[in-house]
């Protein structure tokens, strides 16, 4: 980066070039003084056992001093060599996890030491005060430039680090969902690199965009592994039963249709994924409510019934055959009444409330059902099966629209 982009006035151009002859013989001594004060004032940089690090510190200080004196002689001298050094320093600071403020403080400390020493040398040589002001302005403008270069390097390293961490977290998500399961050691190793604490339990959430508009990326806690750009967008939620987890997920996923599998051990995450995969299509068909996060643990009967929908419909053709003798319009009403009776223990009042009809209407329909199905209607061993087949039968099949003349008609009013 050319320094002219940031400092078109080149304040060092106002410093008489002959002053470089005064400063240059003292640069090595000044570098020693600056390094000594930096190491004393900034504990993070005091590494007496690290010879390579000490060499880099000296390289940076001496390079900056030489560059400054060169600019006094030639304001158009190339800035890039020292800028490259300070970009590298900024990059290294980010990689070591230090705050940028530490580096900026170090640069300011070095600039103060340089100003103090150069001002002293100038006074001994009777340099006019107007030139001292120019020297001060040049030093602190120079400080701004090397600080800018260090910030560029620091920012680039942070962006690169964030990208690497995100890549590792996506790899970890894939590893956790793999079948057969990955070894606990492989998961632990990658989790460490991804800065993710392996929890006792997890739940997997699969997602589907609620509308055709561009989705907004969910705002999620940092411990939730997420990849919404994969073919099947999903999340891995640690400790899903933890306090406040549910409310947070409901809020974060409001722009998505989302189904969360049951909580399982971390090594069984793929099992949670399988159930979440079963729930999401049912939500898109309207069988499960999709206005908020679908928790599979709250809908297990429905999930189990629809697990093999084709088989249940085949059984329905046999068990509900007596309804074929009823005209199509009345067939659905009787079926919904029978399902409500099975779910309510044949309590006519409760069924009437559920279907929004008069109890006498329920009794009338129940009498018709008794005529169709006989005493088998009340056999305990058949009631669960009847409830299962009615639940599926009253839902339109996924591959064709409802037809009231068949035994797989849609839900209608009671």
């Amino acid at each position: 980066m050319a320094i002219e982009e940031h400092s078109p006035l080149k304040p060092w151009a106002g410093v008489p070039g002959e002053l470089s002859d005064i400063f240059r013989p003292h640069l090595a001594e000044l570098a020693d003084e600056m390094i000594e004060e930096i190491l004393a004032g900034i504990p993070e940089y005091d590494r007496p056992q690290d010879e390579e690090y000490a060499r880099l510190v000296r390289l940076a200080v001496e390079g900056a001093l030489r560059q400054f004196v060169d600019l006094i002689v030639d304001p158009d001298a190339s800035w890039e060599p020292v800028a490259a050094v300070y970009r590298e320093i900024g990059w290294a600071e980010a990689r070591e996890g230090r705050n940028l403020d530490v580096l900026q403080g170090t640069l300011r400390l070095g600039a103060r030491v340089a100003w103090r020493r150069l001002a002293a040398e100038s006074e001994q040589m009777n340099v006019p005060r107007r030139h001292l002001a120019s020297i001060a302005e040049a030093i602190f403008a120079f400080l701004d430039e090397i600080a800018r270069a260090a910030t560029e390097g620091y920012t680039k390293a942070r962006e690169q680090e964030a990208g690497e961490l995100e890549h590792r977290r996506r790899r970890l998500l894939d590893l956790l969902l793999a079948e057969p399961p990955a070894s606990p050691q492989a998961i632990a190793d990658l989790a460490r690199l991804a800065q993710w604490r392996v929890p006792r339990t997890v739940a997997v959430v699969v997602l589907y965009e609620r509308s055709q508009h561009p989705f907004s990326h969910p705002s999620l806690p940092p411990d939730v592994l997420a990849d919404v750009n994969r073919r099947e967008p999903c999340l891995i939620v640690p400790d899903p039963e933890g306090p406040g987890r549910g409310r947070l997920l409901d809020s974060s996923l409001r722009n998505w249709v989302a189904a969360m599998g049951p909580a399982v051990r971390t090594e069984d995450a793929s099992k949670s994924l399988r159930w979440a995969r079963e729930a999401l299509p049912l939500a898109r068909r309207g069988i499960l409510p999709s206005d908020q996060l679908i928790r599979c643990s709250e809908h297990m009967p429905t999930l189990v019934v629809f697990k093999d929908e084709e088989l249940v419909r085949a059984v329905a053709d046999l068990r509900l055959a007596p309804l074929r003798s009823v005209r199509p319009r009345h067939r659905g009403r009787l079926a919904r009444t029978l399902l409500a009776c099975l779910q309510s223990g044949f309590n006519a009042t409760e069924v009437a409330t559920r279907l929004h009809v008069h109890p006498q209407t329920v009794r009338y329909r129940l009498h018709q059902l008794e005529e169709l199905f006989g005493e088998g209607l009340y056999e305990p061993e058949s009631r669960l099966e009847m409830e299962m087949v009615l639940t599926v039968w009253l839902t339109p099949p996924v591959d064709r629209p409802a037809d009231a003349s068949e035994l797989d008609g849609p839900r209608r009013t009671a």
Side-chain angles (χ1 to χ4, degrees):
M1 179 179 295
I3 197 166
E4 289 79 5
E5 295 178 14
H6 302 298
S7 301
L9 298 180
K10 300 177 185 176
W12 35 85
V15 180
E18 59 268 21
L19 290 182
S20 65
D21 295 330
I22 297 175
F23 298 149
R24 200 176 297 275
H26 303 283
L27 293 186
E29 187 179 344
L30 175 55
D32 289 339
E33 185 177 343
M34 290 173 66
I35 292 171
E36 182 179 347
E37 292 213 23
I38 287 172
L39 297 183
I42 312 293
E44 289 87 345
Y45 294 132
D46 189 8
R47 303 182 184 181
Q49 306 303 321
D50 193 337
E51 295 181 2
E52 177 62 17
Y53 190 80
R55 187 187 70 81
L56 292 175
V57 171
R58 178 165 293 277
L59 177 67
V61 172
E62 292 181 346
L65 290 174
R66 283 195 303 270
Q67 175 77 30
F68 180 75
V69 173
D70 289 346
L71 287 171
I72 293 176
V73 177
D74 179 10
D76 294 320
S78 174
W79 168 257
E80 182 55 31
V82 74
V85 169
Y86 277 86
R87 282 196 290 270
E88 183 70 19
I89 289 173
W91 188 91
E93 290 296 288
R95 282 295 187 174
E96 293 199 19
R98 277 197 288 270
N99 193 293
L100 187 59
D101 291 342
V102 175
L103 178 58
Q104 303 285 20
T106 302
L107 297 177
R108 288 192 294 271
L109 175 58
R112 286 198 302 271
V113 174
W115 161 241
R116 186 175 65 227
R117 182 62 182 267
L118 294 179
E121 295 294 336
S122 299
E123 287 185 0
Q124 288 183 7
M125 300 298 295
N126 295 316
V127 174
R129 286 190 175 276
R130 67 178 183 276
H131 293 330
L132 285 176
S134 297
I135 293 171
E137 183 180 0
I139 286 175
F140 290 103
F142 186 82
L143 168 65
D144 288 343
E145 293 302 327
I146 61 176
R148 194 189 312 277
T151 300
E152 288 177 4
Y154 187 93
T155 302
K156 182 177 181 180
R158 281 293 193 215
E159 291 173 349
Q160 181 181 351
E161 196 173 62
E164 290 174 356
L165 184 63
E166 184 62 28
H167 176 66
R168 290 169 184 161
R169 290 168 73 87
R170 287 197 299 268
R171 283 176 51 209
L172 178 59
L173 183 145
D174 290 338
L175 188 66
L176 288 166
L177 299 181
E179 287 191 278
S183 70
Q185 187 59 52
I187 291 173
D189 290 345
L190 186 52
R192 185 176 62 257
L193 293 174
Q195 299 178 21
W196 191 71
R197 182 186 63 82
V198 179
R200 187 177 60 84
T201 61
V202 297
V204 179
V205 179
V206 292
L207 307 169
Y208 179 78
E209 295 174 48
R210 194 175 289 281
S211 68
Q212 297 302 314
H213 301 294
F215 65 85
S216 59
H217 194 291
S219 177
L220 297 162
D223 62 343
V224 174
L225 299 178
D227 189 353
V228 299
N229 296 314
R230 58 189 279 151
R231 183 180 60 83
E232 180 184 52
C234 66
L235 320 171
I236 293 182
V237 181
D239 302 319
E241 307 299 332
R245 272 292 201 222
R247 290 192 302 274
L248 181 61
L249 289 173
D250 283 333
S251 173
S252 300
L253 301 176
R254 60 181 176 274
N255 292 326
W256 300 80
V257 178
M260 183 168 72
V264 296
R265 296 180 305 169
T266 302
E267 57 268 32
D268 293 328
S270 60
K271 296 178 181 178
S272 183
L273 172 63
R274 285 201 298 272
W275 281 110
R277 281 174 171 165
E278 295 287 339
L280 196 58
L282 297 181
R284 294 175 62 185
R285 289 171 61 186
I287 297 170
L288 292 178
S290 61
D291 55 334
Q292 60 183 0
L293 178 65
I294 302 159
R295 294 165 173 80
C296 290
S297 58
E298 298 175 0
H299 301 281
M300 291 310 291
T302 302
L303 289 168
V304 170
V305 167
F306 282 90
K307 177 69 175 174
D308 195 335
E309 186 174 344
E310 185 177 329
L311 172 62
V312 177
R313 289 191 183 279
V315 174
D317 285 342
L318 298 173
R319 296 293 181 266
L320 303 180
L323 287 175
R324 292 187 184 279
S325 62
V326 181
R327 65 183 187 277
R329 189 175 185 84
H330 192 50
R331 186 182 301 153
R333 294 173 182 169
L334 285 179
R336 278 183 291 280
T337 300
L338 177 54
L339 178 59
C341 285
L342 291 167
Q343 294 171 337
S344 305
F346 290 91
N347 185 310
T349 302
E350 186 176 337
V351 173
T353 301
R354 179 178 296 194
L355 299 180
H356 305 289
V357 297
H358 194 278
Q360 190 58 37
T361 302
V362 174
R363 296 186 184 96
Y364 172 72
R365 293 177 184 175
L366 188 54
H367 179 69
Q368 291 181 292
L369 289 166
E370 290 171 347
E371 290 181 345
L372 290 169
F373 290 94
E375 290 300 318
L377 194 65
Y378 298 103
E379 292 177 0
E381 59 271 17
S382 67
R383 287 172 60 174
L384 177 59
E385 184 182 70
M386 287 288 282
E387 185 175 341
M388 292 172 63
V389 299
L390 282 165
T391 298
V392 174
W393 177 76
L394 287 167
T395 303
V398 70
D399 58 344
R400 69 181 188 273
D403 186 339
S405 66
E406 300 180 16
L407 281 182
D408 41 24
R411 297 180 186 273
R412 293 192 174 86
T413 60

